[in-house]
Amino acid sequence: MLVPCSCCSVRGPRRWLASRLLQRFERWGDGWYREDKSALFWPVAGRVLEIGPGTGVNFDYYPPGTRVYAVEPNQHFHAGLERRARQMGLRLRLIAGEAERILLPSSKFDHVVGTLVLCSVASPTAVLSEVLRLLRPGGWYHFIEHVAAGSGWMRPAQWVAAWPWRLVFDGCHLNRDSGTTIAHAGFAWQVMAPCRFGPAWLPVQPHIIGRAVKSAVA
C-alpha cells in the first residue's frame, strides 16, 4: 500500500537515472555487506521502519510476516519494493515522502533500519531526530553508512568526485561525517565500528556499521 505525503518529491530524470543505476548495482553490491548485515539485522522483528529501502535488498533479512513501513521518495522503486515484499512474505506499507518529516505517530516502531541513506538526505540531523521520535523507548536503530575518509589519498579524491557523484547518484555526498552525526543525535548509547566494503578504490570508503538505542525512559 502506498501512502502519499505532502512533502513528497519523486519526479525528475535524476531520480529515474539513480533508480536504474541502483537496480543494476545494488543486488550485486549487497554481496559485500551480506555477512555483516546478517549479524546487524539478527534482532530485527516486530514493527520495522526502513528509511530509503531502494530496491529492497534489506527485505531478505527480515522474518516472514514482519510489518515493514518503508519511506522511499523515489517512485521508480515502488513497484519493485511491493513485488519484493510479497516474495519475502512481508507486510509492506510504502510511504512516498522524505525522511526529514515522516507523517507517522511517535514511538511506533521497535526497529528503524537505514543503510547508505544519510549520505543523500537533505538533513541527516533532521532524519535522526525523526528516527528517535518514531522509535519506542528502548527501540533500536540499525545502520550502515559510507563516510568521509579521514586521511590518505581517498580524502582529496572524494572532494574532487563529490559534485559529479552527487549529480549522478541522486544527491549522494561522498564526504559526510555521518558517524559524528549519529553519535550526537541523542541516543542513549550507540556502538559503531569502522569497516570497508567492496573494492578499496571506490570513493564510498570507508564505512561505519552499528546500532543505537533510544532511551528506555520516556
Side-chain angles (χ1 to χ4, degrees):
M1 178 170 60
L2 175 62
V3 180
C5 175
S6 61
C7 59
C8 182
S9 174
V10 295
R11 297 178 176 86
R14 191 173 74 174
R15 284 195 165 169
W16 177 87
L17 174 61
S19 71
R20 292 300 179 268
L21 290 172
L22 204 58
Q23 285 165 7
R24 290 180 177 274
F25 169 79
E26 194 168 46
R27 293 202 175 277
W28 169 67
D30 192 59
W32 304 339
Y33 305 95
R34 183 160 293 276
E35 184 176 346
D36 292 271
K37 279 186 176 181
S38 295
L40 181 68
F41 297 151
W42 172 75
V44 172
R47 187 166 288 180
V48 178
L49 172 68
E50 182 166 353
I51 298 170
T55 64
V57 292
N58 290 338
F59 289 2
D60 295 9
Y61 303 91
Y62 304 151
T66 300
R67 181 61 157 144
V68 180
Y69 290 67
V71 179
E72 178 50 69
N74 191 333
Q75 67 178 356
H76 302 292
F77 288 124
H78 289 175
L81 286 169
E82 291 175 333
R83 187 165 52 249
R84 187 65 183 166
R86 288 193 298 270
Q87 291 171 349
M88 302 307 298
L90 305 176
R91 296 181 295 153
L92 178 67
R93 181 178 178 183
L94 267 174
I95 300 167
E98 307 293 345
E100 289 85 353
R101 183 169 177 263
I102 302 170
L103 301 182
L104 290 172
S106 300
S107 303
K108 186 178 180 68
F109 295 97
D110 303 298
H111 301 270
V112 174
V113 171
T115 58
L116 308 178
V117 294
L118 293 183
C119 58
S120 58
V121 296
S123 173
T125 300
V127 170
L128 292 172
S129 179
E130 281 291 83
V131 170
L132 277 165
R133 181 183 69 81
L134 291 165
L135 279 172
R136 63 164 175 78
W140 294 66
Y141 170 50
H142 309 257
F143 58 88
I144 300 174
E145 297 290 346
H146 66 82
V147 296
S151 61
W153 66 268
M154 183 61 77
R155 187 173 181 84
Q158 286 178 337
W159 282 98
V160 169
W163 183 82
W165 188 274
R166 193 160 62 245
L167 185 65
V168 172
F169 290 100
D170 198 17
C172 175
H173 292 72
L174 291 172
N175 44 20
R176 280 185 171 169
D177 188 5
S178 296
T180 298
T181 306
I182 293 169
H184 294 164
F187 292 98
W189 61 267
Q190 62 273 320
V191 56
M192 67 180 76
C195 51
R196 294 183 181 275
F197 295 107
W201 51 264
L202 277 179
V204 287
Q205 299 287 3
H207 289 66
I208 54 170
I209 183 171
R211 299 176 182 140
V213 177
K214 181 177 177 178
S215 173
V217 180

